[in-house]
Every structure is written in C-alpha cells, then in structure tokens.
Amino acid sequence: MSLPSSLTELVDFDQRSLFISAAAIAFNPTFWNIVARREYRTRFLTRIFGSNQAACYALAVTIFSLGLVRDFLYERALRDQPSHPALEGPLVNYAAYALLAVGNIFVVSSTWQLGITGTFLGDYCGILMDNIVTGFPFNITNAPMYYGSTMSFLGTALLYGKPAGILITLHVLVVYLVAIQFENPFTAGIYAKRDKERAKVAGKPFESKKEL
C-alpha cells in the first residue's frame, strides 16, 4: 500500500534515521517496564547491587542515559527530514518555545515532587512513598512527565520546522498512552498491597484506593 503523495512530500520515509528514532522511542518505556516488573517480582537488581536503593539508582542512570540517546536520535532524524514553510516564522517559534518551556516545567517539577526514587520506579524496587503526591503538576495530570516529554517533542519539531517531527510526536503520544495503561494499574496494585499489609498489622479493615 503506497502512502499519499502529499504525506511523502512532507516526510521522507526513505530516511533510516526516522525509523531508528521511532524504535528508540518505543523501546525505552518497554525496557523500563519489563526490567522494573522483573525487579519487583524477583529483586534481581537488588541482589546485583546489594540494596534496593542502589538498584533504583542504577535503574535511574540507565533510564536517564536511554533518554539522552533517544533525544539524540530524534534530533538526528529531524535533521534528515525536509522542512516546510508553514512551520517557519515567529509565531511558530513562539509556540515551539512555549511548548518546550511548559514541557520541561512539567518534567522538572514532577521530578522535584517525586525525588529520584519516586521518579525512576523506586516503588518497583520496594521504595514506596508515604503519601500520594497531589501538588503541581500532579494536580493537572497524573502523568506530567509523559505529557511534558510529548510537549517537548512537539516543540522541537516546530522549532526545526519539520513535519516529520509532528508525526514522531504522535508516535510518542501513543507509546506513552499505552505505557500509562500498563504502569498505573500495576503501581496502584503495589500501594494497595502495602496499605493492606499496614491495615492487617494495625488490625483495621482495609479499603482499597483506586487512584494514586
């Protein structure tokens, strides 16, 4: 099935870098969800690094490094793609900078609220937070890092003036929405188990919390 000519004029699908970037974007959340769930079930990282704290920090370094590689591959893919006049001009640039600013505020503020262990799947390593975080940016969305990252992808696409970047951003959004569907119920289950155990020790009836 051939692609519409209008789309092929906007996006150069012959560029290998486009598909490498898309693969890296899909790989990262797939990787950390598989590894984190295995750690939760087997504590293999804790055994390797000697403690759950060290395991979490090792996972954090790995995830952060993979993010740098992903961003590098995305930027390289954009450079290989054609620009479009509609994505040039001051208004587009203002929108790009606004998206980058808001996106980074979401990412940085959520990391500040959660800390390193809360951000990088410490709950899968047995490092659970005492209370649910409800302050900014979690009072706006329950996945500020994912949506902030998506905004940064879109802002970068506009800044470069590349329609392919907008297409990749849609791919990013889909990947993250799928990741959220896997992560949120699993994480909720971890805290529900903890709360049930606390209630059992305290001799109080347990009430499941549907949302974290």
Side-chain angles (χ1 to χ4, degrees), residues 101-180:
V102 175
N104 279 287
I105 287 172
F106 271 30
V107 171
V108 173
S109 60
S110 59
T111 303
W112 177 265
Q113 289 275 19
L114 296 173
I116 297 299
T117 56
T119 300
F120 293 101
L121 304 173
D123 29 33
Y124 289 69
C125 300
I127 308 170
L128 276 62
M129 303 188 71
D130 293 329
N131 299 298
I132 300 170
V133 177
T134 57
F136 180 84
F138 292 92
N139 58 350
I140 296 177
T141 170
N142 66 349
M145 294 198 74
Y146 280 150
Y147 291 121
S149 178
T150 303
M151 284 188 280
S152 294
F153 271 93
L154 181 57
T156 303
L158 296 180
L159 197 61
Y160 277 76
K162 309 286 187 173
I166 298 175
L167 181 63
I168 293 176
T169 300
L170 291 174
H171 171 64
V172 170
L173 180 60
V174 170
V175 168
Y176 285 167
L177 288 175
V178 171
I180 289 169

Side-chain angles (χ1 to χ4, degrees), residues 19-159:
F19 298 98
I20 293 175
S21 174
I25 289 164
F27 172 80
N28 285 10
T30 303
F31 167 81
W32 69 60
N33 271 287
I34 290 174
V35 171
R37 288 191 182 208
R38 186 182 174 195
E39 163 63 13
Y40 177 74
R41 294 189 175 102
T42 68
R43 294 291 183 251
F44 80 105
L45 289 177
T46 297
R47 292 198 302 271
I48 292 172
F49 292 100
S51 70
N52 61 348
Q53 194 87 17
C56 182
Y57 276 95
L59 187 59
V61 170
T62 302
I63 292 172
F64 184 78
S65 300
L66 287 172
L68 293 178
V69 173
R70 175 206 61 194
D71 292 345
F72 168 77
L73 293 173
Y74 176 57
E75 192 269 345
R76 184 176 178 181
L78 291 183
R79 289 186 181 275
D80 292 338
Q81 290 295 318
S83 301
H84 194 276
L87 298 181
E88 297 174 354
L91 291 179
V92 175
N93 285 338
Y94 295 151
Y97 286 122
L99 285 164
L100 287 168
V102 175
N104 279 287
I105 287 172
F106 271 30
V107 171
V108 173
S109 60
S110 59
T111 303
W112 177 265
Q113 289 275 19
L114 296 173
I116 297 299
T117 56
T119 300
F120 293 101
L121 304 173
D123 29 33
Y124 289 69
C125 300
I127 308 170
L128 276 62
M129 303 188 71
D130 293 329
N131 299 298
I132 300 170
V133 177
T134 57
F136 180 84
F138 292 92
N139 58 350
I140 296 177
T141 170
N142 66 349
M145 294 198 74
Y146 280 150
Y147 291 121
S149 178
T150 303
M151 284 188 280
S152 294
F153 271 93
L154 181 57
T156 303
L158 296 180
L159 197 61

